[in-house]
Amino acid sequence: DTEVTQTPKHLVMGMTNKKSLKCEQHMGHRAMYWYKQKAKKPPELMFVYSYEKLSINESVPSRFSPECPNSSLLNLHLHALQPEDSALYLCASSRGGLAGTDTQYFGPGTRLTVL
Amino acid sequence: GENVEQHPSTLSVQEGDSAVIKCTYSDSASNYFPWYKQELGKRPQLIIDIRSNVGEKKDQRIAVTLNKTAKHFSLHITETQPEDSAVYFCAASISGSNNNDMRFGAGTRLTVKP
């Protein structure tokens, strides 16, 4: 299995809602990532988990809360978002650690619209 | 942190011509340079990558070159086809460490005219 899967594909939420994005991989990878991508822009790194520990947090607002329940799963909890948070949220995974070969494989993304 | 610049932002070529996209990076510790292709509404997909111990790598119509001294790397697509039309992103990271921080260039929108 060489796929990263994400659910849901689309999400529309109000500014007072609480929702979660989910990501899953079964490649045995030990690093997982959340990126935010606005239209016509490159993906921007939000969070990196390495061996289930948060290793990079790019000063993302606290209304985004990541969670890594185990090495195959990555969640992004959303609360009190703003309309400018509307974007494509991409999950990725890579082998991670000191083994090198850190190719990142992306999921299909969740297109989020905040009303 | 790493800063990656990519040029041009848009590129239009005739089918069968070659296309070249160039990137520069700032962190001399970066040692892994992937290229991703992203079609409209789809995920970024890895098309080729190169590591700092190699100067050039080729895969059929796609090649990547790396100049560590100048800190720049380039993507070359030969015999372009309409299905090559997409946005291409270069990226740079330090592979082989626990710092899995990959930075993307701004992207190049390639249009191949039939």
Side-chain angles (χ1 to χ4, degrees):
Chain A
D1 187 350
T2 58
E3 272 222 339
V4 178
T5 59
Q6 288 186 245
T7 55
K9 288 186 178 178
H10 302 275
L11 179 62
V12 179
M13 60 186 290
M15 289 190 283
T16 58
N17 292 158
K18 283 186 183 181
K19 297 285 183 183
S20 296
L21 309 185
K22 296 186 184 301
C23 175
E24 190 168 5
Q25 57 87 15
H26 293 289
M27 294 181 277
H29 289 171
R30 302 309 299 270
M32 296 186 77
Y33 312 77
W34 279 116
Y35 288 87
K36 174 183 177 180
Q37 187 177 26
K38 301 282 272 185
K40 299 185 180 181
K41 296 288 186 183
E44 290 179 43
L45 186 65
M46 299 175 72
F47 302 104
V48 180
Y49 274 85
S50 183
Y51 289 79
E52 294 106 73
K53 286 187 168 42
L54 185 64
S55 65
I56 294 178
N57 176 344
E58 288 289 317
S59 301
V60 176
S62 60
R63 56 186 185 267
F64 295 92
S65 174
E67 179 197 17
C68 191
N70 60 56
S71 59
S72 300
L73 293 172
L74 184 66
N75 299 321
L76 186 62
H77 302 298
L78 314 173
H79 174 52
L81 294 195
Q82 304 295 310
E84 59 264 29
D85 296 322
S86 298
L88 180 69
Y89 288 83
L90 290 161
C91 173
S93 72
S94 71
R95 187 185 297 183
L98 299 174
T101 317
D102 229 19
T103 301
Q104 292 188 25
Y105 298 92
F106 285 86
T110 293
R111 182 146 319 267
L112 174 68
T113 303
V114 182
L115 301 176
Chain B
E2 177 64 273
N3 183 44
V4 179
E5 295 193 359
Q6 182 172 348
H7 300 280
S9 57
T10 60
L11 180 59
S12 182
V13 300
Q14 209 64 38
E15 183 177 0
D17 288 351
S18 294
V20 180
I21 303 171
K22 299 183 179 183
C23 289
T24 59
Y25 60 98
S26 60
D27 190 342
S28 56
S30 290
N31 60 0
Y32 177 60
F33 308 94
W35 286 88
Y36 287 88
K37 175 183 180 182
Q38 188 174 29
E39 295 177 63
L40 191 62
K42 303 226 173 138
R43 74 185 83 190
Q45 292 212 298
L46 180 76
I47 55 169
I48 196 167
D49 57 12
I50 192 167
R51 287 174 174 77
S52 58
N53 58 346
V54 174
E56 184 173 357
K57 184 176 177 181
K58 191 173 180 181
D59 182 3
Q60 299 183 331
R61 298 186 294 111
I62 296 172
V64 58
T65 58
L66 172 65
N67 182 328
K68 283 190 296 182
T69 305
K71 289 191 277 189
H72 66 71
F73 56 113
S74 301
L75 178 72
H76 304 252
I77 306 175
T78 58
E79 299 170 30
T80 54
Q81 300 166 4
E83 51 265 39
D84 293 330
S85 297
V87 178
Y88 291 80
F89 293 102
C90 63
S93 71
I94 302 171
S95 184
S97 72
N98 279 323
N99 179 8
N100 300 310
D101 188 358
M102 186 164 75
R103 302 292 165 159
F104 285 84
T108 297
R109 181 171 299 279
L110 173 65
T111 303
V112 180
K113 299 177 187 173

Short mmCIF file of all heavy atoms in Angstrom, two decimals, chain A residues 27-80:
data_model
loop_
_atom_site.label_atom_id
_atom_site.label_comp_id
_atom_site.label_asym_id
_atom_site.label_seq_id
_atom_site.Cartn_x
_atom_site.Cartn_y
_atom_site.Cartn_z
N MET A 27 2.34 2.63 5.21
CA MET A 27 3.63 2.35 4.57
C MET A 27 4.73 2.14 5.60
O MET A 27 5.89 2.04 5.24
CB MET A 27 3.99 3.52 3.64
CG MET A 27 3.02 3.63 2.45
SD MET A 27 3.43 4.97 1.33
CE MET A 27 2.66 6.36 2.15
N GLY A 28 4.35 2.15 6.89
CA GLY A 28 5.36 1.99 7.92
C GLY A 28 6.19 3.24 8.14
O GLY A 28 7.25 3.20 8.76
N HIS A 29 5.72 4.38 7.60
CA HIS A 29 6.45 5.64 7.76
C HIS A 29 6.35 6.13 9.20
O HIS A 29 5.34 5.92 9.88
CB HIS A 29 5.89 6.69 6.81
CG HIS A 29 6.24 6.42 5.38
ND1 HIS A 29 5.70 7.15 4.34
CD2 HIS A 29 7.09 5.54 4.80
CE1 HIS A 29 6.19 6.71 3.20
NE2 HIS A 29 7.03 5.73 3.46
N ARG A 30 7.40 6.81 9.65
CA ARG A 30 7.43 7.29 11.03
C ARG A 30 7.38 8.81 11.12
O ARG A 30 7.48 9.37 12.22
CB ARG A 30 8.66 6.76 11.76
CG ARG A 30 8.74 5.24 11.77
CD ARG A 30 7.45 4.57 12.27
NE ARG A 30 7.12 4.93 13.62
CZ ARG A 30 7.54 4.26 14.71
NH1 ARG A 30 8.30 3.20 14.56
NH2 ARG A 30 7.17 4.65 15.93
N ALA A 31 7.27 9.49 9.99
CA ALA A 31 7.10 10.94 10.00
C ALA A 31 5.83 11.29 9.24
O ALA A 31 5.57 10.74 8.17
CB ALA A 31 8.30 11.64 9.35
N MET A 32 5.04 12.18 9.80
CA MET A 32 3.80 12.62 9.15
C MET A 32 3.69 14.13 9.27
O MET A 32 4.19 14.73 10.23
CB MET A 32 2.58 11.92 9.76
CG MET A 32 2.60 10.41 9.52
SD MET A 32 1.12 9.55 10.06
CE MET A 32 -0.02 9.97 8.72
N TYR A 33 3.04 14.73 8.29
CA TYR A 33 3.06 16.18 8.12
C TYR A 33 1.67 16.72 7.81
O TYR A 33 0.87 16.06 7.14
CB TYR A 33 3.96 16.55 6.92
CG TYR A 33 5.31 15.89 6.89
CD1 TYR A 33 5.45 14.56 6.50
CD2 TYR A 33 6.46 16.61 7.22
CE1 TYR A 33 6.69 13.95 6.47
CE2 TYR A 33 7.70 16.01 7.18
CZ TYR A 33 7.81 14.69 6.80
OH TYR A 33 9.05 14.10 6.76
N TRP A 34 1.44 17.95 8.25
CA TRP A 34 0.29 18.71 7.78
C TRP A 34 0.81 19.94 7.04
O TRP A 34 1.68 20.66 7.54
CB TRP A 34 -0.60 19.19 8.93
CG TRP A 34 -1.55 18.15 9.44
CD1 TRP A 34 -1.56 17.60 10.69
CD2 TRP A 34 -2.65 17.56 8.75
NE1 TRP A 34 -2.59 16.70 10.81
CE2 TRP A 34 -3.27 16.65 9.63
CE3 TRP A 34 -3.18 17.70 7.45
CZ2 TRP A 34 -4.38 15.88 9.27
CZ3 TRP A 34 -4.28 16.93 7.09
CH2 TRP A 34 -4.88 16.04 8.00
N TYR A 35 0.24 20.16 5.84
CA TYR A 35 0.51 21.35 5.05
C TYR A 35 -0.80 22.06 4.76
O TYR A 35 -1.85 21.43 4.64
CB TYR A 35 1.13 20.99 3.70
CG TYR A 35 2.56 20.49 3.72
CD1 TYR A 35 2.85 19.14 3.91
CD2 TYR A 35 3.62 21.37 3.52
CE1 TYR A 35 4.16 18.69 3.91
CE2 TYR A 35 4.93 20.92 3.52
CZ TYR A 35 5.19 19.58 3.71
OH TYR A 35 6.50 19.13 3.70
N LYS A 36 -0.69 23.37 4.59
CA LYS A 36 -1.82 24.19 4.13
C LYS A 36 -1.45 24.73 2.76
O LYS A 36 -0.34 25.24 2.57
CB LYS A 36 -2.05 25.34 5.12
CG LYS A 36 -3.09 26.35 4.69
CD LYS A 36 -3.18 27.47 5.72
CE LYS A 36 -4.17 28.54 5.31
NZ LYS A 36 -4.25 29.64 6.31
N GLN A 37 -2.38 24.63 1.80
CA GLN A 37 -2.10 25.16 0.46
C GLN A 37 -3.24 26.05 0.00
O GLN A 37 -4.37 25.59 -0.19
CB GLN A 37 -1.88 24.02 -0.55
CG GLN A 37 -1.43 24.53 -1.91
CD GLN A 37 -1.14 23.43 -2.91
OE1 GLN A 37 -1.70 22.33 -2.83
NE2 GLN A 37 -0.26 23.71 -3.86
N LYS A 38 -2.94 27.32 -0.18
CA LYS A 38 -3.89 28.26 -0.75
C LYS A 38 -3.78 28.19 -2.28
O LYS A 38 -2.76 27.72 -2.83
CB LYS A 38 -3.59 29.68 -0.27
CG LYS A 38 -3.65 29.85 1.24
CD LYS A 38 -5.06 29.94 1.77
CE LYS A 38 -5.58 31.35 1.76
NZ LYS A 38 -6.91 31.44 2.40
N ALA A 39 -4.81 28.69 -2.94
CA ALA A 39 -4.86 28.61 -4.40
C ALA A 39 -3.64 29.31 -5.02
O ALA A 39 -3.26 30.41 -4.62
CB ALA A 39 -6.14 29.26 -4.91
N LYS A 40 -3.04 28.63 -5.99
CA LYS A 40 -1.91 29.16 -6.76
C LYS A 40 -0.68 29.41 -5.90
O LYS A 40 0.18 30.24 -6.28
CB LYS A 40 -2.30 30.43 -7.51
CG LYS A 40 -3.43 30.21 -8.50
CD LYS A 40 -3.72 31.46 -9.33
CE LYS A 40 -4.85 31.19 -10.31
NZ LYS A 40 -5.16 32.36 -11.14
N LYS A 41 -0.59 28.73 -4.76
CA LYS A 41 0.56 28.88 -3.88
C LYS A 41 1.15 27.50 -3.58
O LYS A 41 0.47 26.48 -3.76
CB LYS A 41 0.13 29.53 -2.55
CG LYS A 41 -0.37 30.95 -2.69
CD LYS A 41 0.74 31.90 -3.00
CE LYS A 41 0.27 33.34 -2.99
NZ LYS A 41 1.35 34.27 -3.36
N PRO A 42 2.41 27.45 -3.11
CA PRO A 42 2.97 26.14 -2.73
C PRO A 42 2.43 25.68 -1.38
O PRO A 42 1.90 26.50 -0.61
CB PRO A 42 4.47 26.44 -2.64
CG PRO A 42 4.54 27.89 -2.29
CD PRO A 42 3.38 28.55 -2.98
N PRO A 43 2.55 24.40 -1.10
CA PRO A 43 2.18 23.93 0.24
C PRO A 43 3.06 24.59 1.30
O PRO A 43 4.26 24.75 1.11
CB PRO A 43 2.45 22.42 0.18
CG PRO A 43 2.43 22.09 -1.28
CD PRO A 43 2.97 23.30 -1.97
N GLU A 44 2.43 24.98 2.41
CA GLU A 44 3.16 25.57 3.54
C GLU A 44 3.12 24.60 4.70
O GLU A 44 2.04 24.16 5.12
CB GLU A 44 2.49 26.86 4.00
CG GLU A 44 2.60 28.03 3.05
CD GLU A 44 1.87 29.24 3.62
OE1 GLU A 44 2.01 29.51 4.83
OE2 GLU A 44 1.14 29.89 2.85
N LEU A 45 4.29 24.30 5.23
CA LEU A 45 4.38 23.36 6.34
C LEU A 45 3.71 23.92 7.59
O LEU A 45 3.95 25.08 7.96
CB LEU A 45 5.85 23.04 6.63
CG LEU A 45 6.14 21.97 7.66
CD1 LEU A 45 5.65 20.61 7.17
CD2 LEU A 45 7.64 21.92 7.95
N MET A 46 2.87 23.09 8.24
CA MET A 46 2.24 23.49 9.51
C MET A 46 2.86 22.73 10.67
O MET A 46 3.31 23.31 11.65
CB MET A 46 0.74 23.21 9.46
CG MET A 46 -0.01 23.95 8.37
SD MET A 46 -1.75 23.45 8.29
CE MET A 46 -2.42 24.19 9.78
N PHE A 47 2.82 21.40 10.59
CA PHE A 47 3.28 20.56 11.69
C PHE A 47 4.03 19.35 11.13
O PHE A 47 3.71 18.86 10.05
CB PHE A 47 2.10 20.02 12.51
CG PHE A 47 1.20 21.07 13.10
CD1 PHE A 47 -0.03 21.33 12.52
CD2 PHE A 47 1.58 21.80 14.21
CE1 PHE A 47 -0.88 22.29 13.06
CE2 PHE A 47 0.75 22.76 14.75
CZ PHE A 47 -0.48 23.01 14.16
N VAL A 48 5.01 18.87 11.91
CA VAL A 48 5.70 17.63 11.60
C VAL A 48 5.69 16.76 12.85
O VAL A 48 6.04 17.23 13.94
CB VAL A 48 7.16 17.86 11.17
CG1 VAL A 48 7.83 16.52 10.85
CG2 VAL A 48 7.25 18.78 9.98
N TYR A 49 5.27 15.51 12.67
CA TYR A 49 5.40 14.51 13.73
C TYR A 49 6.46 13.52 13.31
O TYR A 49 6.44 12.99 12.19
CB TYR A 49 4.08 13.77 13.96
CG TYR A 49 3.15 14.47 14.91
CD1 TYR A 49 2.29 15.47 14.47
CD2 TYR A 49 3.13 14.14 16.26
CE1 TYR A 49 1.44 16.12 15.35
CE2 TYR A 49 2.28 14.77 17.15
CZ TYR A 49 1.44 15.77 16.69
OH TYR A 49 0.60 16.41 17.56
N SER A 50 7.39 13.25 14.22
CA SER A 50 8.42 12.26 13.97
C SER A 50 8.35 11.25 15.11
O SER A 50 8.49 11.64 16.27
CB SER A 50 9.79 12.94 13.91
OG SER A 50 10.79 12.01 13.61
N TYR A 51 8.12 10.00 14.77
CA TYR A 51 7.95 8.95 15.77
C TYR A 51 6.91 9.35 16.81
O TYR A 51 7.12 9.24 18.01
CB TYR A 51 9.30 8.60 16.43
CG TYR A 51 10.23 7.88 15.50
CD1 TYR A 51 10.95 8.57 14.53
CD2 TYR A 51 10.36 6.50 15.56
CE1 TYR A 51 11.78 7.90 13.65
CE2 TYR A 51 11.19 5.82 14.67
CZ TYR A 51 11.89 6.53 13.72
OH TYR A 51 12.72 5.86 12.85
N GLU A 52 5.78 9.83 16.30
CA GLU A 52 4.61 10.21 17.08
C GLU A 52 4.83 11.40 18.00
O GLU A 52 3.95 11.73 18.81
CB GLU A 52 4.03 9.03 17.90
CG GLU A 52 3.46 7.93 17.02
CD GLU A 52 4.35 6.70 16.99
OE1 GLU A 52 4.39 5.98 17.99
OE2 GLU A 52 5.01 6.48 15.96
N LYS A 53 5.96 12.05 17.88
CA LYS A 53 6.21 13.25 18.69
C LYS A 53 6.23 14.47 17.77
O LYS A 53 6.82 14.45 16.69
CB LYS A 53 7.53 13.14 19.42
CG LYS A 53 7.51 12.18 20.59
CD LYS A 53 8.82 12.27 21.35
CE LYS A 53 8.80 11.57 22.70
NZ LYS A 53 8.15 10.28 22.75
N LEU A 54 5.62 15.56 18.24
CA LEU A 54 5.60 16.79 17.46
C LEU A 54 7.02 17.35 17.41
O LEU A 54 7.61 17.69 18.44
CB LEU A 54 4.66 17.80 18.11
CG LEU A 54 4.44 19.11 17.35
CD1 LEU A 54 3.75 18.86 16.02
CD2 LEU A 54 3.62 20.08 18.19
N SER A 55 7.59 17.44 16.20
CA SER A 55 8.96 17.91 16.11
C SER A 55 9.06 19.30 15.49
O SER A 55 10.01 20.01 15.72
CB SER A 55 9.82 16.92 15.31
OG SER A 55 9.39 16.86 13.96
N ILE A 56 8.09 19.67 14.69
CA ILE A 56 8.08 21.02 14.11
C ILE A 56 6.66 21.58 14.22
O ILE A 56 5.70 20.93 13.83
CB ILE A 56 8.53 21.02 12.64
CG1 ILE A 56 9.99 20.61 12.53
CG2 ILE A 56 8.30 22.40 12.02
CD1 ILE A 56 10.51 20.53 11.12
N ASN A 57 6.57 22.80 14.72
CA ASN A 57 5.30 23.51 14.80
C ASN A 57 5.59 24.91 14.28
O ASN A 57 6.27 25.69 14.94
CB ASN A 57 4.82 23.55 16.25
CG ASN A 57 3.53 24.36 16.40
OD1 ASN A 57 3.16 25.13 15.52
ND2 ASN A 57 2.88 24.21 17.52
N GLU A 58 5.13 25.19 13.08
CA GLU A 58 5.51 26.44 12.43
C GLU A 58 4.68 27.63 12.90
O GLU A 58 4.14 28.37 12.09
CB GLU A 58 5.36 26.27 10.91
CG GLU A 58 6.41 25.38 10.28
CD GLU A 58 7.77 26.05 10.27
OE1 GLU A 58 7.84 27.26 9.95
OE2 GLU A 58 8.77 25.38 10.59
N SER A 59 4.59 27.80 14.22
CA SER A 59 3.87 28.96 14.76
C SER A 59 2.48 29.07 14.20
O SER A 59 2.02 30.16 13.83
CB SER A 59 4.65 30.26 14.49
OG SER A 59 5.93 30.19 15.05
N VAL A 60 1.81 27.93 14.12
CA VAL A 60 0.45 27.90 13.60
C VAL A 60 -0.50 28.35 14.72
O VAL A 60 -0.30 27.98 15.88
CB VAL A 60 0.12 26.48 13.13
CG1 VAL A 60 -1.32 26.38 12.67
CG2 VAL A 60 1.07 26.05 12.01
N PRO A 61 -1.56 29.11 14.40
CA PRO A 61 -2.50 29.54 15.45
C PRO A 61 -3.08 28.36 16.20
O PRO A 61 -3.27 27.27 15.66
CB PRO A 61 -3.59 30.28 14.65
CG PRO A 61 -2.93 30.70 13.39
CD PRO A 61 -1.89 29.67 13.08
N SER A 62 -3.40 28.60 17.46
CA SER A 62 -3.87 27.51 18.33
C SER A 62 -5.24 26.97 17.94
O SER A 62 -5.66 25.93 18.46
CB SER A 62 -3.91 27.99 19.79
OG SER A 62 -4.80 29.09 19.90
N ARG A 63 -5.93 27.64 17.02
CA ARG A 63 -7.21 27.10 16.55
C ARG A 63 -7.00 25.83 15.71
O ARG A 63 -7.95 25.13 15.38
CB ARG A 63 -8.00 28.15 15.77
CG ARG A 63 -7.28 28.77 14.59
CD ARG A 63 -8.13 29.91 14.00
NE ARG A 63 -7.56 30.49 12.80
CZ ARG A 63 -6.77 31.54 12.80
NH1 ARG A 63 -6.44 32.12 13.96
NH2 ARG A 63 -6.30 32.02 11.65
N PHE A 64 -5.73 25.55 15.34
CA PHE A 64 -5.35 24.28 14.70
C PHE A 64 -4.62 23.44 15.74
O PHE A 64 -3.60 23.90 16.29
CB PHE A 64 -4.43 24.53 13.51
CG PHE A 64 -5.07 25.27 12.38
CD1 PHE A 64 -4.96 26.65 12.32
CD2 PHE A 64 -5.75 24.60 11.39
CE1 PHE A 64 -5.55 27.36 11.27
CE2 PHE A 64 -6.33 25.30 10.34
CZ PHE A 64 -6.23 26.68 10.28
N SER A 65 -5.09 22.22 15.98
CA SER A 65 -4.47 21.38 17.00
C SER A 65 -4.21 20.00 16.42
O SER A 65 -5.14 19.25 16.12
CB SER A 65 -5.42 21.29 18.20
OG SER A 65 -4.93 20.38 19.14
N PRO A 66 -2.92 19.65 16.23
CA PRO A 66 -2.63 18.34 15.66
C PRO A 66 -2.62 17.25 16.72
O PRO A 66 -2.42 17.51 17.91
CB PRO A 66 -1.22 18.55 15.08
CG PRO A 66 -0.58 19.51 16.02
CD PRO A 66 -1.69 20.43 16.50
N GLU A 67 -2.82 16.02 16.25
CA GLU A 67 -2.78 14.87 17.15
C GLU A 67 -2.28 13.67 16.36
O GLU A 67 -2.71 13.46 15.22
CB GLU A 67 -4.19 14.58 17.69
CG GLU A 67 -4.26 13.38 18.61
CD GLU A 67 -5.67 12.87 18.80
OE1 GLU A 67 -6.56 13.22 17.99
OE2 GLU A 67 -5.88 12.09 19.75
N CYS A 68 -1.39 12.89 16.96
CA CYS A 68 -0.87 11.70 16.30
C CYS A 68 -1.12 10.51 17.21
O CYS A 68 -0.27 10.18 18.04
CB CYS A 68 0.62 11.87 15.99
SG CYS A 68 1.30 10.61 14.91
N PRO A 69 -2.28 9.86 17.10
CA PRO A 69 -2.63 8.77 18.02
C PRO A 69 -1.69 7.57 17.92
O PRO A 69 -1.45 6.90 18.91
CB PRO A 69 -4.05 8.38 17.59
CG PRO A 69 -4.54 9.47 16.72
CD PRO A 69 -3.35 10.14 16.13
N ASN A 70 -1.22 7.30 16.70
CA ASN A 70 -0.24 6.22 16.51
C ASN A 70 0.53 6.51 15.23
O ASN A 70 0.25 7.48 14.53
CB ASN A 70 -0.91 4.84 16.50
CG ASN A 70 -1.93 4.70 15.39
OD1 ASN A 70 -1.62 4.88 14.22
ND2 ASN A 70 -3.16 4.35 15.77
N SER A 71 1.43 5.63 14.88
CA SER A 71 2.33 5.93 13.76
C SER A 71 1.63 5.94 12.41
O SER A 71 2.19 6.40 11.43
CB SER A 71 3.48 4.91 13.73
OG SER A 71 2.96 3.60 13.60
N SER A 72 0.39 5.43 12.34
CA SER A 72 -0.32 5.38 11.06
C SER A 72 -1.35 6.50 10.90
O SER A 72 -1.84 6.71 9.80
CB SER A 72 -1.07 4.05 10.91
OG SER A 72 -0.20 2.97 10.95
N LEU A 73 -1.67 7.17 11.98
CA LEU A 73 -2.77 8.12 11.96
C LEU A 73 -2.31 9.51 12.36
O LEU A 73 -1.46 9.68 13.25
CB LEU A 73 -3.87 7.68 12.94
CG LEU A 73 -4.64 6.42 12.60
CD1 LEU A 73 -5.55 6.02 13.75
CD2 LEU A 73 -5.45 6.61 11.33
N LEU A 74 -2.90 10.50 11.70
CA LEU A 74 -2.63 11.90 12.03
C LEU A 74 -3.94 12.66 11.91
O LEU A 74 -4.64 12.53 10.91
CB LEU A 74 -1.59 12.48 11.07
CG LEU A 74 -1.11 13.89 11.34
CD1 LEU A 74 -0.33 13.98 12.64
CD2 LEU A 74 -0.25 14.39 10.18
N ASN A 75 -4.28 13.40 12.94
CA ASN A 75 -5.50 14.20 12.92
C ASN A 75 -5.15 15.68 13.01
O ASN A 75 -4.09 16.06 13.52
CB ASN A 75 -6.40 13.84 14.12
CG ASN A 75 -6.83 12.39 14.11
OD1 ASN A 75 -7.12 11.83 13.06
ND2 ASN A 75 -6.88 11.77 15.28
N LEU A 76 -6.06 16.50 12.51
CA LEU A 76 -5.94 17.94 12.69
C LEU A 76 -7.29 18.44 13.19
O LEU A 76 -8.28 18.39 12.47
CB LEU A 76 -5.55 18.64 11.38
CG LEU A 76 -5.26 20.13 11.48
CD1 LEU A 76 -4.06 20.39 12.39
CD2 LEU A 76 -5.00 20.73 10.10
N HIS A 77 -7.31 18.88 14.45
CA HIS A 77 -8.55 19.36 15.06
C HIS A 77 -8.68 20.86 14.80
O HIS A 77 -7.71 21.61 14.96
CB HIS A 77 -8.54 19.05 16.56
CG HIS A 77 -8.38 17.59 16.86
ND1 HIS A 77 -9.29 16.65 16.46
CD2 HIS A 77 -7.38 16.92 17.50
CE1 HIS A 77 -8.89 15.44 16.84
NE2 HIS A 77 -7.74 15.59 17.48
N LEU A 78 -9.89 21.24 14.40
CA LEU A 78 -10.15 22.62 13.99
C LEU A 78 -11.21 23.22 14.91
O LEU A 78 -12.25 22.59 15.17
CB LEU A 78 -10.67 22.63 12.55
CG LEU A 78 -9.92 21.77 11.53
CD1 LEU A 78 -10.66 21.76 10.20
CD2 LEU A 78 -8.49 22.28 11.37
N HIS A 79 -10.95 24.43 15.37
CA HIS A 79 -11.92 25.08 16.26
C HIS A 79 -11.83 26.59 16.08
O HIS A 79 -10.73 27.15 16.11
CB HIS A 79 -11.64 24.69 17.71
CG HIS A 79 -12.49 25.43 18.70
ND1 HIS A 79 -13.87 25.48 18.61
CD2 HIS A 79 -12.17 26.18 19.78
CE1 HIS A 79 -14.36 26.20 19.60
NE2 HIS A 79 -13.36 26.65 20.32
N ALA A 80 -12.98 27.21 15.92
CA ALA A 80 -13.06 28.67 15.82
C ALA A 80 -12.21 29.20 14.68
O ALA A 80 -11.44 30.16 14.84
CB ALA A 80 -12.67 29.33 17.14
#
